[in-house]
Amino acid sequence: MAVGQIGNFLAYTAVPTVLVTPLGALGVPFGSILASYLLKEKLNILGKLGCLLSCAGSVVLIIHSPKSESVTTQAELEEKLTNPVFVGYLCIVLLMLLLLIFWIAPAHGPTNIMVYISICSLLGSLTVPSTKGIGLAAQDIVHNNPSSQRALCLCLVLLAVLGCSIIVQFRYINKALECFDSSVFGAIYYVVFTTLVLLASAILFREWSNVGLVDFLGMACGFTTVSVGIVLIQVFKEFNFNLGEMNKSNVKTD
């Protein structure tokens, strides 16, 4: 798992966030397939269809993803972080988090799944850009550039943001799993989390600026296909039916 997270971190520093985040869903079908063979868990026909859709949607995402990086240096990152549009988005996210954590979650969290999902997803929209920013700042620190001192300060700030957001996310994910079904939570969380991360990345890194209409529609279709696949795998995994049983029922009807 540690090696996987390191690979995930390196991916954010190497390719656009708009591609890495949706592709994180591939862990779900791969995990389901491995569990069916190694742990002898049943994977019904809808689960198999979900795996196929997730892989197909991922291929579409790769084909239509942005082909160039919009932010490649620490100096460009600092400029993006001070952009008024991103600062405004950050203020809105922080205000929503304060309302959700201190007012809405204590009263409605245990009965409304979207409360905990919203908290974790809003924090995730800060976590992923912070991870990408740490990678960019680390490059200047390692190469000992003239701006390495400023890069070190920026890296420490982003590390603090990343650490705090991950701790709070773990807390509310655990609370959500205590109150709601993990399959339903996982499916909804993936869709909301990915949507907000893509929104934050679009505002901060402007990765969509080089994407044409056809590629935009292709990525939207790919993300929708992956999301449907995840829902089929997660939500319907307890359904006990297969093609053999469907054929038997058709024969009895005839």
Side-chain angles (χ1 to χ4, degrees):
M1 290 179 67
V3 172
Q5 291 305 315
I6 292 172
N8 201 36
F9 176 82
L10 294 175
Y12 279 118
T13 64
V15 296
T17 307
V18 70
L19 175 61
V20 179
T21 305
L23 289 182
L26 286 176
V28 177
F30 288 157
S32 300
I33 293 171
L34 287 174
S36 67
Y37 286 103
L38 300 179
L39 304 178
K40 307 303 179 184
E41 294 183 2
K42 290 185 178 180
L43 186 64
N44 59 33
I45 186 63
L46 289 179
K48 294 175 182 176
L49 178 61
C51 293
L52 180 62
L53 287 175
S54 297
C55 294
S58 299
V59 172
V60 175
L61 281 170
I62 293 172
I63 292 173
H64 294 281
S65 65
K67 303 301 186 292
S68 61
E69 277 290 315
S70 57
V71 179
T72 56
T73 65
Q74 175 251 332
E76 292 178 357
L77 177 62
E78 289 183 0
E79 181 182 349
K80 299 290 186 182
L81 288 173
T82 55
N83 186 291
V85 177
F86 179 72
V87 173
Y89 170 79
L90 186 61
C91 292
I92 293 173
V93 168
L94 293 176
L95 179 61
M96 292 178 66
L97 284 172
L98 289 174
L99 290 172
L100 287 167
I101 292 174
F102 294 106
W103 280 278
I104 300 176
H108 304 286
T111 57
N112 191 330
I113 192 172
M114 289 306 299
V115 174
Y116 292 145
I117 287 178
S118 298
I119 293 173
C120 296
S121 300
L122 286 169
L123 286 167
S125 70
L126 302 179
T127 300
V128 173
S130 296
T131 303
K132 190 176 182 70
I134 289 170
L136 292 173
Q139 293 178 11
D140 283 352
I141 297 172
V142 171
H143 293 114
N144 198 22
N145 290 338
S147 59
S148 59
Q149 191 63 36
R150 292 181 63 185
L152 179 60
C153 295
L154 178 61
C155 187
L156 292 175
V157 171
L158 293 177
L159 277 173
V161 172
L162 182 64
C164 292
S165 62
I166 288 175
I167 291 171
V168 178
Q169 281 184 75
F170 276 144
R171 180 187 177 192
Y172 284 97
I173 286 174
N174 287 331
K175 283 189 174 185
L177 295 178
E178 291 174 359
C179 302
F180 305 102
D181 182 79
S182 61
S183 300
V184 177
F185 174 80
I188 300 175
Y189 177 54
Y190 166 75
V191 176
V192 179
F193 170 82
T194 304
T195 302
L196 290 178
V197 167
L198 294 181
L199 175 62
S201 300
I203 294 173
L204 178 59
F205 298 115
R206 308 286 179 90
E207 292 174 340
W208 293 93
S209 58
N210 296 323
V211 177
L213 178 61
V214 174
D215 287 331
F216 174 80
L217 293 176
M219 292 202 69
C221 291
F223 174 57
T224 303
T225 304
V226 173
S227 300
V228 171
I230 297 301
V231 171
L232 288 176
I233 296 171
Q234 294 283 70
V235 177
F236 297 99
K237 68 179 181 181
E238 300 297 333
F239 281 52
N240 294 319
F241 68 94
N242 52 46
L243 285 176
E245 293 177 354
M246 294 175 64
N247 291 332
K248 287 180 182 179
S249 62
N250 289 334
V251 170
K252 289 180 181 179
T253 303
D254 295 339

